Amino acid sequence: MNTRKIHPILHRRFPLHWLTVKFGEIAEFKNGINFKSNEKGNMIKILGVGDFGNLSLIRDMSLLSQVPLEKLPSEKFLLKNGDLVFVRSNGTKKLVGRCLLVYPEDEIVSFSGFTIRARLKTDLITPEFISQLMQGGLLRLALRHEGRGTNISNLNQSMLSNLIIPIPPKYEQDMLLSLITEWDAALKKTWRLIIAKEERFCWLIHSLINNRCNDWNHIPTHEIFDTISEKKNDNEELLSVTQDHGVIPRTVLEGRVMSPEGSTDSYKLIRKGDFAVSLRSFQGGIEYSQYQGIISPAYTVLRPKIKLHDDFYRHFFKSYIFIEKYLSISVIGIRDGKQISIPDFMTLKLPYPPMEEQKSISAILNNAHQEIDLLKQQAEAYRKQKRGLMQKLLTGQWRVVVEERVKYGE
């Protein structure tokens, strides 16, 4: 077997007792085909780019879309257990190079023209180990060393074929996979808890807010909030308004947003406890600010003018009932032209529960949401730890001590 290296930097990362081979020497590749549906054809499941997401393994083929084809694909275009499918091309480039390990069992499944299938032709290495190598960034590391960068628009068979694959002894592969599986199990358990906590949070919102709205006193928005337009505050921190995290420092989003050029005199001051309304708040509600700084003049700043518990309105302004029942009244335009009419919004009558009720509801929702945030932080820590572990283990920088080599005849 040819063990030539395409890049010496990559080879030095692997232990000397590991084999290093080109991917093309241990696998055969096949580009998918572009299908033309036929209403009277036979239904077949197709693995496409949209099925990758954040998955690395798929066993449940019921998740795949089905299309009717006049003629079923030939055997060479069907997937088998242990096949590795790579995204060849994708409009956003984000998924290009992503790898998905599939186990279709006895189902007939094909793969789209924007993907490449790799099928191993050796038992020296398992598809599970190859999958973990790809998750650990082996392909992107190789492309970066070749000067292609990591944001490629197309992957081809030549790139995959020339990729150097490290092959540890079988006992090391099994032990490495066992360690990584433990981290995967911890991640899955944490995300199951997150999903359960999020479902409970939605139930709490429904019980504590949705079901009580009709019983609360309602007063016009302009009696609860003032619209504020304080400008010429260049010395203040630049903030961004997001639907996921509210109003946060723009430095947190560095690399994902454009900084304004020139003067920010027209930018509006927003203080801690204020709310920001965007023209597209009809999609995700109104955002709360825990910071003082300046935001784009495209936003409307709301500042409480009467005594209220801002955490109650922080939750209320993101609730389904507010977006669908209250805020929808002030939406103007159709389709992509929709936006919030601030004059209409200020005439809306919003619930104003007794202060003690605002506080008690806020306390319950804050505690529930804090549990979710802590679990997400834990999941992110697991993810980073796993990636670091994979990079060390799968490149041989850290070795696994195995006491049962005799089991493999080593």
Side-chain angles (χ1 to χ4, degrees), residues 15-47:
L16 293 177
H17 72 288
W18 287 17
L19 291 176
T20 50
V21 301
K22 288 186 177 181
F23 200 8
E25 295 176 357
I26 59 172
E28 56 184 14
F29 306 102
K30 192 72 178 177
N31 283 12
I33 56 177
N34 296 315
F35 299 95
K36 293 183 179 180
S37 61
N38 185 304
E39 292 183 359
K40 299 180 180 179
N42 300 300
M43 298 299 292
I44 183 173
K45 293 174 181 176
I46 307 293
L47 177 65

mmCIF file of all heavy atoms in Angstrom, residues 15-47:
data_model
loop_
_atom_site.group_PDB
_atom_site.id
_atom_site.type_symbol
_atom_site.label_atom_id
_atom_site.label_comp_id
_atom_site.label_asym_id
_atom_site.label_seq_id
_atom_site.Cartn_x
_atom_site.Cartn_y
_atom_site.Cartn_z
ATOM 1 N N PRO A 15 1.773 9.353 15.270
ATOM 2 C CA PRO A 15 2.818 8.461 15.802
ATOM 3 C C PRO A 15 3.424 7.607 14.688
ATOM 4 O O PRO A 15 2.759 7.279 13.702
ATOM 5 C CB PRO A 15 2.047 7.595 16.802
ATOM 6 C CG PRO A 15 0.829 8.390 17.156
ATOM 7 C CD PRO A 15 0.462 9.144 15.921
ATOM 8 N N LEU A 16 4.676 7.237 14.872
ATOM 9 C CA LEU A 16 5.387 6.500 13.837
ATOM 10 C C LEU A 16 4.783 5.121 13.587
ATOM 11 O O LEU A 16 4.898 4.578 12.482
ATOM 12 C CB LEU A 16 6.871 6.364 14.213
ATOM 13 C CG LEU A 16 7.672 7.673 14.233
ATOM 14 C CD1 LEU A 16 9.095 7.406 14.691
ATOM 15 C CD2 LEU A 16 7.675 8.316 12.858
ATOM 16 N N HIS A 17 4.153 4.519 14.613
ATOM 17 C CA HIS A 17 3.622 3.167 14.416
ATOM 18 C C HIS A 17 2.239 3.173 13.760
ATOM 19 O O HIS A 17 1.677 2.117 13.515
ATOM 20 C CB HIS A 17 3.568 2.404 15.754
ATOM 21 C CG HIS A 17 2.499 2.868 16.684
ATOM 22 N ND1 HIS A 17 2.562 4.069 17.354
ATOM 23 C CD2 HIS A 17 1.314 2.297 17.046
ATOM 24 C CE1 HIS A 17 1.482 4.210 18.103
ATOM 25 N NE2 HIS A 17 0.706 3.148 17.931
ATOM 26 N N TRP A 18 1.680 4.368 13.479
ATOM 27 C CA TRP A 18 0.413 4.453 12.748
ATOM 28 C C TRP A 18 0.696 4.400 11.252
ATOM 29 O O TRP A 18 1.659 5.019 10.764
ATOM 30 C CB TRP A 18 -0.310 5.749 13.068
ATOM 31 C CG TRP A 18 -0.920 5.810 14.434
ATOM 32 C CD1 TRP A 18 -0.650 5.026 15.498
ATOM 33 C CD2 TRP A 18 -1.899 6.762 14.869
ATOM 34 N NE1 TRP A 18 -1.390 5.401 16.584
ATOM 35 C CE2 TRP A 18 -2.172 6.467 16.232
ATOM 36 C CE3 TRP A 18 -2.573 7.815 14.262
ATOM 37 C CZ2 TRP A 18 -3.087 7.197 16.982
ATOM 38 C CZ3 TRP A 18 -3.480 8.548 15.001
ATOM 39 C CH2 TRP A 18 -3.744 8.236 16.350
ATOM 40 N N LEU A 19 -0.120 3.710 10.510
ATOM 41 C CA LEU A 19 -0.062 3.780 9.054
ATOM 42 C C LEU A 19 -0.620 5.122 8.597
ATOM 43 O O LEU A 19 -1.517 5.683 9.244
ATOM 44 C CB LEU A 19 -0.882 2.659 8.418
ATOM 45 C CG LEU A 19 -0.376 1.229 8.554
ATOM 46 C CD1 LEU A 19 -1.385 0.268 7.931
ATOM 47 C CD2 LEU A 19 0.980 1.085 7.877
ATOM 48 N N THR A 20 -0.102 5.645 7.509
ATOM 49 C CA THR A 20 -0.683 6.845 6.899
ATOM 50 C C THR A 20 -0.843 6.579 5.411
ATOM 51 O O THR A 20 0.126 6.264 4.719
ATOM 52 C CB THR A 20 0.206 8.085 7.115
ATOM 53 O OG1 THR A 20 1.553 7.788 6.730
ATOM 54 C CG2 THR A 20 0.182 8.534 8.568
ATOM 55 N N VAL A 21 -2.071 6.651 4.932
ATOM 56 C CA VAL A 21 -2.354 6.345 3.534
ATOM 57 C C VAL A 21 -3.248 7.424 2.945
ATOM 58 O O VAL A 21 -3.924 8.162 3.669
ATOM 59 C CB VAL A 21 -3.047 4.974 3.391
ATOM 60 C CG1 VAL A 21 -2.187 3.874 3.967
ATOM 61 C CG2 VAL A 21 -4.411 5.001 4.059
ATOM 62 N N LYS A 22 -3.246 7.491 1.637
ATOM 63 C CA LYS A 22 -4.191 8.384 0.969
ATOM 64 C C LYS A 22 -5.588 7.780 1.054
ATOM 65 O O LYS A 22 -5.768 6.564 0.938
ATOM 66 C CB LYS A 22 -3.793 8.597 -0.487
ATOM 67 C CG LYS A 22 -2.556 9.463 -0.677
ATOM 68 C CD LYS A 22 -2.312 9.739 -2.153
ATOM 69 C CE LYS A 22 -1.131 10.671 -2.342
ATOM 70 N NZ LYS A 22 -0.891 10.982 -3.782
ATOM 71 N N PHE A 23 -6.558 8.642 1.248
ATOM 72 C CA PHE A 23 -7.947 8.203 1.369
ATOM 73 C C PHE A 23 -8.351 7.396 0.139
ATOM 74 O O PHE A 23 -9.092 6.409 0.233
ATOM 75 C CB PHE A 23 -8.848 9.427 1.550
ATOM 76 C CG PHE A 23 -10.199 9.133 2.143
ATOM 77 C CD1 PHE A 23 -10.534 7.882 2.634
ATOM 78 C CD2 PHE A 23 -11.162 10.142 2.215
ATOM 79 C CE1 PHE A 23 -11.778 7.618 3.184
ATOM 80 C CE2 PHE A 23 -12.417 9.902 2.759
ATOM 81 C CZ PHE A 23 -12.723 8.630 3.247
ATOM 82 N N GLY A 24 -7.861 7.812 -1.023
ATOM 83 C CA GLY A 24 -8.219 7.138 -2.263
ATOM 84 C C GLY A 24 -7.714 5.715 -2.355
ATOM 85 O O GLY A 24 -8.180 4.941 -3.203
ATOM 86 N N GLU A 25 -6.735 5.347 -1.500
ATOM 87 C CA GLU A 25 -6.204 3.990 -1.520
ATOM 88 C C GLU A 25 -7.036 3.033 -0.680
ATOM 89 O O GLU A 25 -6.916 1.813 -0.820
ATOM 90 C CB GLU A 25 -4.760 3.998 -1.015
ATOM 91 C CG GLU A 25 -3.820 4.762 -1.930
ATOM 92 C CD GLU A 25 -2.420 4.849 -1.371
ATOM 93 O OE1 GLU A 25 -2.202 4.363 -0.240
ATOM 94 O OE2 GLU A 25 -1.556 5.409 -2.045
ATOM 95 N N ILE A 26 -7.874 3.586 0.204
ATOM 96 C CA ILE A 26 -8.673 2.712 1.075
ATOM 97 C C ILE A 26 -10.180 2.903 0.864
ATOM 98 O O ILE A 26 -10.982 2.266 1.537
ATOM 99 C CB ILE A 26 -8.340 2.952 2.557
ATOM 100 C CG1 ILE A 26 -8.617 4.408 2.946
ATOM 101 C CG2 ILE A 26 -6.895 2.580 2.845
ATOM 102 C CD1 ILE A 26 -8.492 4.673 4.436
ATOM 103 N N ALA A 27 -10.546 3.795 -0.053
ATOM 104 C CA ALA A 27 -11.975 4.043 -0.290
ATOM 105 C C ALA A 27 -12.206 4.344 -1.759
ATOM 106 O O ALA A 27 -11.308 4.793 -2.477
ATOM 107 C CB ALA A 27 -12.468 5.207 0.570
ATOM 108 N N GLU A 28 -13.406 4.059 -2.204
ATOM 109 C CA GLU A 28 -13.813 4.438 -3.550
ATOM 110 C C GLU A 28 -14.888 5.524 -3.429
ATOM 111 O O GLU A 28 -15.685 5.528 -2.495
ATOM 112 C CB GLU A 28 -14.355 3.234 -4.319
ATOM 113 C CG GLU A 28 -15.504 2.520 -3.639
ATOM 114 C CD GLU A 28 -15.946 1.277 -4.398
ATOM 115 O OE1 GLU A 28 -15.194 0.838 -5.281
ATOM 116 O OE2 GLU A 28 -17.040 0.765 -4.103
ATOM 117 N N PHE A 29 -14.891 6.450 -4.376
ATOM 118 C CA PHE A 29 -15.775 7.608 -4.305
ATOM 119 C C PHE A 29 -16.772 7.606 -5.458
ATOM 120 O O PHE A 29 -16.492 7.098 -6.553
ATOM 121 C CB PHE A 29 -14.962 8.902 -4.329
ATOM 122 C CG PHE A 29 -13.898 8.959 -3.268
ATOM 123 C CD1 PHE A 29 -12.569 8.718 -3.582
ATOM 124 C CD2 PHE A 29 -14.224 9.232 -1.944
ATOM 125 C CE1 PHE A 29 -11.586 8.753 -2.609
ATOM 126 C CE2 PHE A 29 -13.255 9.273 -0.972
ATOM 127 C CZ PHE A 29 -11.927 9.033 -1.294
ATOM 128 N N LYS A 30 -17.927 8.193 -5.179
ATOM 129 C CA LYS A 30 -18.963 8.304 -6.206
ATOM 130 C C LYS A 30 -19.751 9.584 -5.989
ATOM 131 O O LYS A 30 -20.256 9.835 -4.891
ATOM 132 C CB LYS A 30 -19.915 7.095 -6.118
ATOM 133 C CG LYS A 30 -20.855 6.961 -7.305
ATOM 134 C CD LYS A 30 -20.089 6.512 -8.527
ATOM 135 C CE LYS A 30 -21.007 6.325 -9.731
ATOM 136 N NZ LYS A 30 -20.242 5.954 -10.941
ATOM 137 N N ASN A 31 -19.815 10.415 -7.016
ATOM 138 C CA ASN A 31 -20.670 11.600 -6.947
ATOM 139 C C ASN A 31 -22.127 11.179 -7.061
ATOM 140 O O ASN A 31 -22.463 10.248 -7.801
ATOM 141 C CB ASN A 31 -20.353 12.571 -8.081
ATOM 142 C CG ASN A 31 -19.078 13.361 -7.825
ATOM 143 O OD1 ASN A 31 -18.319 13.039 -6.917
ATOM 144 N ND2 ASN A 31 -18.832 14.380 -8.615
ATOM 145 N N GLY A 32 -22.989 11.884 -6.331
ATOM 146 C CA GLY A 32 -24.416 11.613 -6.449
ATOM 147 C C GLY A 32 -24.947 12.104 -7.781
ATOM 148 O O GLY A 32 -24.231 12.697 -8.588
ATOM 149 N N ILE A 33 -26.216 11.836 -8.031
ATOM 150 C CA ILE A 33 -26.811 12.252 -9.298
ATOM 151 C C ILE A 33 -27.976 13.212 -9.032
ATOM 152 O O ILE A 33 -28.595 13.189 -7.970
ATOM 153 C CB ILE A 33 -27.305 11.042 -10.119
ATOM 154 C CG1 ILE A 33 -28.282 10.206 -9.295
ATOM 155 C CG2 ILE A 33 -26.141 10.210 -10.590
ATOM 156 C CD1 ILE A 33 -28.863 9.029 -10.062
ATOM 157 N N ASN A 34 -28.213 14.074 -9.993
ATOM 158 C CA ASN A 34 -29.348 14.993 -9.902
ATOM 159 C C ASN A 34 -30.596 14.283 -10.405
ATOM 160 O O ASN A 34 -30.628 13.764 -11.518
ATOM 161 C CB ASN A 34 -29.064 16.251 -10.741
ATOM 162 C CG ASN A 34 -27.894 17.033 -10.197
ATOM 163 O OD1 ASN A 34 -27.793 17.243 -8.990
ATOM 164 N ND2 ASN A 34 -26.997 17.462 -11.069
ATOM 165 N N PHE A 35 -31.603 14.249 -9.549
ATOM 166 C CA PHE A 35 -32.804 13.493 -9.867
ATOM 167 C C PHE A 35 -33.882 14.390 -10.469
ATOM 168 O O PHE A 35 -34.028 15.548 -10.080
ATOM 169 C CB PHE A 35 -33.357 12.830 -8.609
ATOM 170 C CG PHE A 35 -32.396 11.865 -7.978
ATOM 171 C CD1 PHE A 35 -31.563 12.275 -6.948
ATOM 172 C CD2 PHE A 35 -32.322 10.560 -8.413
ATOM 173 C CE1 PHE A 35 -30.676 11.392 -6.359
ATOM 174 C CE2 PHE A 35 -31.444 9.665 -7.827
ATOM 175 C CZ PHE A 35 -30.614 10.083 -6.805
ATOM 176 N N LYS A 36 -34.622 13.837 -11.398
ATOM 177 C CA LYS A 36 -35.796 14.511 -11.944
ATOM 178 C C LYS A 36 -37.029 13.736 -11.509
ATOM 179 O O LYS A 36 -37.181 12.560 -11.830
ATOM 180 C CB LYS A 36 -35.717 14.575 -13.474
ATOM 181 C CG LYS A 36 -34.603 15.462 -13.995
ATOM 182 C CD LYS A 36 -34.629 15.537 -15.522
ATOM 183 C CE LYS A 36 -33.516 16.456 -16.030
ATOM 184 N NZ LYS A 36 -33.523 16.542 -17.514
ATOM 185 N N SER A 37 -37.863 14.411 -10.747
ATOM 186 C CA SER A 37 -39.032 13.709 -10.209
ATOM 187 C C SER A 37 -40.074 13.469 -11.288
ATOM 188 O O SER A 37 -40.147 14.186 -12.283
ATOM 189 C CB SER A 37 -39.658 14.519 -9.070
ATOM 190 O OG SER A 37 -40.093 15.774 -9.538
ATOM 191 N N ASN A 38 -40.854 12.422 -11.087
ATOM 192 C CA ASN A 38 -41.928 12.076 -11.997
ATOM 193 C C ASN A 38 -43.139 11.700 -11.158
ATOM 194 O O ASN A 38 -43.058 10.828 -10.285
ATOM 195 C CB ASN A 38 -41.499 10.893 -12.885
ATOM 196 C CG ASN A 38 -42.534 10.567 -13.941
ATOM 197 O OD1 ASN A 38 -43.693 10.324 -13.629
ATOM 198 N ND2 ASN A 38 -42.099 10.552 -15.190
ATOM 199 N N GLU A 39 -44.254 12.371 -11.374
ATOM 200 C CA GLU A 39 -45.425 12.173 -10.520
ATOM 201 C C GLU A 39 -45.894 10.729 -10.484
ATOM 202 O O GLU A 39 -46.455 10.265 -9.493
ATOM 203 C CB GLU A 39 -46.572 13.073 -11.001
ATOM 204 C CG GLU A 39 -46.298 14.562 -10.790
ATOM 205 C CD GLU A 39 -47.485 15.411 -11.205
ATOM 206 O OE1 GLU A 39 -48.489 14.823 -11.656
ATOM 207 O OE2 GLU A 39 -47.400 16.639 -11.088
ATOM 208 N N LYS A 40 -45.658 9.982 -11.541
ATOM 209 C CA LYS A 40 -46.123 8.609 -11.601
ATOM 210 C C LYS A 40 -45.009 7.609 -11.279
ATOM 211 O O LYS A 40 -45.187 6.414 -11.455
ATOM 212 C CB LYS A 40 -46.688 8.313 -12.994
ATOM 213 C CG LYS A 40 -47.882 9.190 -13.367
ATOM 214 C CD LYS A 40 -48.387 8.836 -14.758
ATOM 215 C CE LYS A 40 -49.585 9.710 -15.134
ATOM 216 N NZ LYS A 40 -50.087 9.399 -16.492
ATOM 217 N N GLY A 41 -43.884 8.123 -10.811
ATOM 218 C CA GLY A 41 -42.740 7.252 -10.594
ATOM 219 C C GLY A 41 -42.764 6.520 -9.266
ATOM 220 O O GLY A 41 -43.710 6.611 -8.482
ATOM 221 N N ASN A 42 -41.694 5.800 -9.019
ATOM 222 C CA ASN A 42 -41.520 5.065 -7.770
ATOM 223 C C ASN A 42 -40.910 5.977 -6.715
ATOM 224 O O ASN A 42 -39.973 6.717 -7.003
ATOM 225 C CB ASN A 42 -40.600 3.853 -7.992
ATOM 226 C CG ASN A 42 -41.160 2.892 -9.023
ATOM 227 O OD1 ASN A 42 -42.244 2.371 -8.834
ATOM 228 N ND2 ASN A 42 -40.421 2.674 -10.105
ATOM 229 N N MET A 43 -41.396 5.902 -5.484
ATOM 230 C CA MET A 43 -40.882 6.740 -4.406
ATOM 231 C C MET A 43 -39.547 6.190 -3.905
ATOM 232 O O MET A 43 -39.392 4.984 -3.712
ATOM 233 C CB MET A 43 -41.875 6.793 -3.253
ATOM 234 C CG MET A 43 -43.228 7.397 -3.615
ATOM 235 S SD MET A 43 -43.091 9.112 -4.181
ATOM 236 C CE MET A 43 -42.596 9.913 -2.656
ATOM 237 N N ILE A 44 -38.602 7.087 -3.721
ATOM 238 C CA ILE A 44 -37.299 6.697 -3.193
ATOM 239 C C ILE A 44 -36.789 7.798 -2.268
ATOM 240 O O ILE A 44 -37.030 8.990 -2.502
ATOM 241 C CB ILE A 44 -36.272 6.440 -4.327
ATOM 242 C CG1 ILE A 44 -34.937 5.964 -3.716
ATOM 243 C CG2 ILE A 44 -36.076 7.665 -5.187
ATOM 244 C CD1 ILE A 44 -33.925 5.532 -4.750
ATOM 245 N N LYS A 45 -36.098 7.402 -1.221
ATOM 246 C CA LYS A 45 -35.540 8.373 -0.281
ATOM 247 C C LYS A 45 -34.185 8.853 -0.780
ATOM 248 O O LYS A 45 -33.368 8.054 -1.256
ATOM 249 C CB LYS A 45 -35.410 7.750 1.111
ATOM 250 C CG LYS A 45 -36.764 7.455 1.742
ATOM 251 C CD LYS A 45 -36.641 6.720 3.048
ATOM 252 C CE LYS A 45 -38.034 6.426 3.613
ATOM 253 N NZ LYS A 45 -37.974 5.618 4.851
ATOM 254 N N ILE A 46 -33.977 10.160 -0.651
ATOM 255 C CA ILE A 46 -32.749 10.789 -1.139
ATOM 256 C C ILE A 46 -32.055 11.508 0.003
ATOM 257 O O ILE A 46 -32.665 12.324 0.699
ATOM 258 C CB ILE A 46 -33.041 11.813 -2.261
ATOM 259 C CG1 ILE A 46 -33.876 11.178 -3.382
ATOM 260 C CG2 ILE A 46 -31.737 12.395 -2.808
ATOM 261 C CD1 ILE A 46 -33.163 10.115 -4.144
ATOM 262 N N LEU A 47 -30.771 11.217 0.201
ATOM 263 C CA LEU A 47 -29.967 11.952 1.174
ATOM 264 C C LEU A 47 -29.406 13.194 0.487
ATOM 265 O O LEU A 47 -28.630 13.085 -0.468
ATOM 266 C CB LEU A 47 -28.826 11.075 1.703
ATOM 267 C CG LEU A 47 -27.852 11.753 2.675
ATOM 268 C CD1 LEU A 47 -28.552 12.135 3.969
ATOM 269 C CD2 LEU A 47 -26.657 10.853 2.961
#
